[in-house]
Amino acid sequence: MKVLIVGGSGRMGMWMTRYFKRRGFGVHIYDVDGRRARLASRALGVQLVRRPHPSLYDLVLLSVPPQAMREALAEYSSAMKPGQLLAEICSAKLFMLDQLRAAAKSGLKVLSLHPLFGPGARLGHRGAMIVVGVRSPAEELMTARALFPGFRLLLLRARQHDLLMARTLWGPFLACASFAAVARGLLTRAEEVGGPRFVQLSLLALGLLKEEPGLYVALRSLNPFAGEVSKSLLRALSHLDEAFSSDPRRAGRELARLRLRIPSRAIDEAYARLYGRLRHCAGLKDTTQ
């Protein structure tokens, strides 16, 4: 199979390039940033394409920033032939669903994917990946299984995907950004001045500060549910703070109600499971059992 990775010098584009190369596919990369593309080409040992011809490939994978995705979809889908496979790995879906459906209607095979792991995942990693149904969800799921055997694939509608991402990407971003704004210079001295909880939160906030902000700018502007998540978080914080100010016992009841929404056993099991997963990722032995 011949594969073209558009955005192949980006972090996720490079991961996909390594993955398909390891599977024995013929992989070419293209990127608008010529200098980065040349460096990536040499580092990955794959051919750099300076003027891509999408009709020459079995699979064209778009790994471009969300803000550039509609333009990329229009450009590449119009240059491909019926039966070719066009895939994208954008973190927002509803804003371009009309283009994906139009591409599928024109005869292209379409895959709308969202890997639930970062570019730092090892190549042998078989993580979770969302498949968003476009026109023929069952067929698209089968195609994804063929491309990513062993991965845990979750089939969702575009609306379900964007709502999930608003809660699991945008919500944590707001929480970490708020904490970073409050903690400020203490983040880099967390182990000196704070307890275990402060160290844990500082680690999350520092991880956020290491990332490029463009993803979150796009997430907020392109995901129709992100704004409501922001409002919900502000309402919850305001409500809780007012409770602490007016009646500490009431605040205690509010926190107790949060816990009651999830059974205690489920909390304990999920905590142990996630703790074990973090230790596994760090290469440590799980001691939670």
Side-chain angles (χ1 to χ4, degrees), residues 87-101:
E88 55 79 18
I89 55 172
C90 191
S91 56
K93 301 298 186 184
L94 277 172
F95 82 101
M96 58 173 178
L97 185 59
D98 59 332
Q99 286 183 290
L100 292 171
R101 286 175 172 167

Side-chain angles (χ1 to χ4, degrees), residues 227-247:
E228 185 51 43
V229 168
S230 301
K231 294 174 185 176
S232 296
L233 180 59
L234 291 173
R235 285 195 298 266
L237 290 173
S238 178
H239 183 70
L240 193 58
D241 189 60
E242 288 173 4
F244 274 109
S245 299
S246 61
D247 183 355

Side-chain angles (χ1 to χ4, degrees), residues 44 64 91 100 144 150-151 161 192 220 249:
L44 299 173
V64 302
S91 56
L100 292 171
F151 284 70
H161 170 274
E192 302 173 27
R220 178 61 182 86
R249 288 178 298 179

Side-chain angles (χ1 to χ4, degrees), residues 4-288:
L4 173 66
I5 309 291
V6 180
S9 68
R11 295 178 65 204
M12 206 65 209
M14 292 179 71
W15 191 95
M16 288 291 175
T17 299
R18 293 189 184 98
Y19 171 78
F20 285 119
K21 181 184 177 185
R22 186 176 183 178
R23 289 205 59 196
F25 297 169
V27 185
H28 295 174
I29 66 170
Y30 169 76
D31 203 297
V32 293
D33 188 331
R35 179 179 174 278
R36 282 183 56 186
R38 287 191 293 273
L39 293 174
S41 173
R42 287 196 289 268
L44 299 173
V46 296
Q47 183 175 331
L48 171 64
V49 178
R50 301 184 187 279
R51 292 185 180 180
H53 297 284
S55 61
L56 300 179
Y57 298 89
D58 302 296
L59 165 63
V60 175
L61 176 68
L62 304 181
S63 180
V64 302
Q67 302 94 320
M69 187 58 75
R70 285 189 65 91
E71 182 179 350
L73 278 172
E75 177 182 352
Y76 286 89
S77 63
S78 64
M80 295 174 68
K81 298 178 293 188
Q84 288 182 274
L85 178 56
L86 175 65
E88 55 79 18
I89 55 172
C90 191
S91 56
K93 301 298 186 184
L94 277 172
F95 82 101
M96 58 173 178
L97 185 59
D98 59 332
Q99 286 183 290
L100 292 171
R101 286 175 172 167
K105 190 176 181 180
S106 72
L108 295 180
K109 296 178 181 178
V110 174
L111 267 186
S112 182
L113 306 170
H114 188 170
L116 296 181
F117 53 86
R122 64 186 186 279
L123 279 185
H125 177 75
R126 292 294 181 266
M129 185 178 297
I130 293 175
V131 180
V132 172
V134 177
R135 194 177 189 196
S136 302
E139 293 181 14
E140 291 155 15
L141 184 60
M142 288 179 60
T143 301
R145 282 179 178 149
L147 285 177
F148 300 96
F151 284 70
R152 300 189 305 277
L153 301 180
L154 176 63
L155 181 62
L156 296 178
R157 295 190 297 271
R159 180 182 178 85
Q160 291 174 313
H161 170 274
D162 282 11
L163 180 57
L164 182 65
M165 290 307 106
R167 292 173 176 173
T168 61
L169 282 181
W170 181 247
F173 164 79
L174 286 180
C176 288
S178 301
F179 178 75
V182 171
R184 291 183 290 185
L186 297 177
L187 291 177
T188 56
R189 300 173 54 210
E191 72 278 13
E192 302 173 27
V193 301
R197 194 69 69 205
F198 185 81
V199 170
Q200 291 172 340
L201 291 173
S202 296
L203 182 62
L204 292 173
L206 289 169
L208 167 70
L209 296 177
K210 288 176 63 177
E211 296 179 354
E212 290 292 331
L215 168 64
Y216 298 101
V217 173
L219 186 62
R220 178 61 182 86
S221 60
L222 298 177
N223 189 314
F225 304 106
E228 185 51 43
V229 168
S230 301
K231 294 174 185 176
S232 296
L233 180 59
L234 291 173
R235 285 195 298 266
L237 290 173
S238 178
H239 183 70
L240 193 58
D241 189 60
E242 288 173 4
F244 274 109
S245 299
S246 61
D247 183 355
R249 288 178 298 179
R250 176 188 158 208
R253 291 193 297 270
E254 293 289 344
L255 291 174
R257 271 196 288 271
L258 287 176
R259 182 180 176 89
L260 288 174
R261 292 175 185 173
I262 307 176
S264 295
R265 181 176 178 181
I267 292 175
D268 293 339
E269 290 177 351
Y271 185 89
R273 188 171 62 250
L274 293 173
Y275 180 80
R277 181 176 177 184
L278 287 175
R279 291 183 64 85
H280 174 74
C281 291
L284 302 174
K285 185 178 180 181
D286 184 8
T287 59
T288 60

